[in-house]
């Protein structure tokens, strides 16, 4: 069975500092994709970044990067230079390549302090 | 803008009433999904449709039915609403499986309250 674990229900970070949101996953499949989504207080789900299980380099998208450690089955999201607008819920998700289902973690609520 | 459109955005029902949540996507995606999100929690999959003409149960299907009307539209029906179904409902779509790195695209959600 597939499972995503986000162990940090809530986090605080000072504006302009970097923050790491943890995500570990459990699967016996070798082919999968990992995704991070942002959900601001307005409620919409915003796709941030993707990492494939065979990607040799960590994914980066602007201020977002993914610290992918395959052997440890972790896919942590790093946000550099935090902004007030980064305050939101963040969800980690996994998709197996040969299946249509996505598996979501329980989320981490990030608060950026001015 | 292209994307996933959900209607209605808000709805209040009485226990026992029925209603259908509508979802349409214009990205030509094969797969569509319905999730519910309870306060402070993650997403739980209700039903999904890998392609037109197919539907499968997710994690929490009881009390719901779905219809994949065509490639664009995937509706969720509550036959006899219960207070436990008070939640925010999200529809999503994605490309089909097969090495795809495509994420899910989400609608803005339907906030449903059942009294």
């Amino acid at each position: 069975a597939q499972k995503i674990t986000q162990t940090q229900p809530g986090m605080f970070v000072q504006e302009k500092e970097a923050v790491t949101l943890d995500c570990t996953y459990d699967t016996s499949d070798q082919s999968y994709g990992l995704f991070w989504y942002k959900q601001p207080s307005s409620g919409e789900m915003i796709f941030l970044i993707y990492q494939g299980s065979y990607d040799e380099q960590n994914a980066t998208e602007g201020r977002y990067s993914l610290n992918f450690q395959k052997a440890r089955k972790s896919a942590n999201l790093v946000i550099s230079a935090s902004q007030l607008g980064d305050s939101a819920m963040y969800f980690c998700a996994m998709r197996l390549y040969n299946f249509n289902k996505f598996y979501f973690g329980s989320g981490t609520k990030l608060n950026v302090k001015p | 803008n292209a994307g996933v459109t959900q209607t209605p955005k808000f709805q209040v029902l009485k226990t026992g009433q029925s209603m259908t949540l509508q979802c349409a996507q214009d990205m030509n995606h094969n797969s569509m999904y319905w999730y519910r999100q309870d306060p402070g929690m993650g997403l739980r999959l209700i039903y999904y449709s890998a392609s037109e003409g197919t539907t499968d149960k997710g994690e929490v299907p009881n009390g719901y039915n779905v219809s994949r009307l065509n490639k664009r539209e995937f509706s969720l029906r509550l036959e006899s609403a219960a207070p436990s179904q008070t939640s925010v409902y999200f529809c999503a779509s994605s490309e089909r499986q097969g090495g795809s790195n495509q994420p899910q695209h989400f609608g803005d959600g339907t906030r449903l309250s059942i009294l």
Side-chain angles (χ1 to χ4, degrees):
Chain A
Q2 279 53 239
K3 186 176 181 181
I4 298 285
T5 302
Q6 295 180 254
T7 57
Q8 306 153 313
M11 289 191 69
F12 287 90
V13 65
Q14 202 69 36
E15 192 179 9
K16 300 181 184 178
E17 291 185 349
V19 63
T20 297
L21 307 184
D22 294 342
C23 172
T24 59
Y25 58 93
D26 188 16
T27 181
S28 56
D29 276 53
Q30 297 301 309
S31 302
Y32 50 87
L34 297 157
F35 304 82
W36 277 91
Y37 290 85
K38 173 184 178 181
Q39 186 179 41
S41 58
S42 51
E44 71 270 28
M45 295 285 285
I46 303 167
F47 165 66
L48 296 178
I49 194 167
Y50 164 84
Q51 179 83 43
S53 60
Y54 295 113
D55 293 344
E56 294 186 351
Q57 293 198 338
N58 288 339
T60 60
E61 289 288 347
R63 293 186 300 111
Y64 304 109
S65 61
L66 206 152
N67 184 0
F68 180 49
Q69 298 186 46
K70 192 171 181 177
R72 299 179 62 182
K73 293 188 176 179
S74 73
N76 299 337
L77 177 70
V78 180
I79 305 175
S80 62
S82 296
Q83 301 173 356
L84 296 178
D86 293 334
S87 293
M89 281 287 285
Y90 289 82
F91 292 99
C92 180
M94 177 174 67
R95 177 184 187 178
L96 303 183
Y97 276 13
N98 291 321
F99 296 92
N100 288 293
K101 290 173 70 173
F102 287 71
Y103 301 88
F104 282 83
S106 55
T108 295
K109 186 171 177 59
L110 178 66
N111 285 291
V112 181
K113 298 186 293 184
Chain B
N1 289 340
V4 180
T5 303
Q6 291 183 236
T7 55
K9 295 189 185 305
F10 302 93
Q11 185 71 47
V12 179
L13 294 178
K14 294 181 179 179
T15 297
Q17 287 185 316
S18 62
M19 84 161 293
T20 300
L21 307 185
Q22 307 286 352
C23 175
Q25 53 91 11
D26 57 8
M27 295 172 282
N28 203 36
H29 286 164
N30 284 291
S31 300
M32 298 186 72
Y33 311 78
W34 277 105
Y35 294 91
R36 62 176 287 175
Q37 184 180 29
D38 298 318
M41 297 187 66
L43 298 172
R44 291 188 292 171
L45 182 65
I46 304 172
Y47 271 93
Y48 69 104
S49 171
S51 60
E52 186 178 353
T54 68
T55 60
D56 288 285
K57 294 179 180 179
E59 193 182 349
V60 288
N62 291 344
Y64 304 95
N65 286 301
V66 290
S67 295
R68 184 72 183 267
L69 305 171
N70 47 56
K71 191 172 184 178
R72 290 186 64 247
E73 298 172 288
F74 188 38
S75 63
L76 178 72
R77 182 161 178 85
L78 287 70
E79 290 291 351
S80 178
S84 60
Q85 294 177 305
T86 293
S87 191
V88 179
Y89 291 84
F90 285 98
C91 178
S93 69
S94 74
E95 287 295 342
R96 210 174 163 179
Q97 78 271 19
S100 174
N101 63 353
Q102 296 302 309
Q104 286 181 314
H105 297 261
F106 286 84
D108 289 339
T110 294
R111 284 151 182 78
L112 182 62
S113 294
I114 299 163
L115 306 177

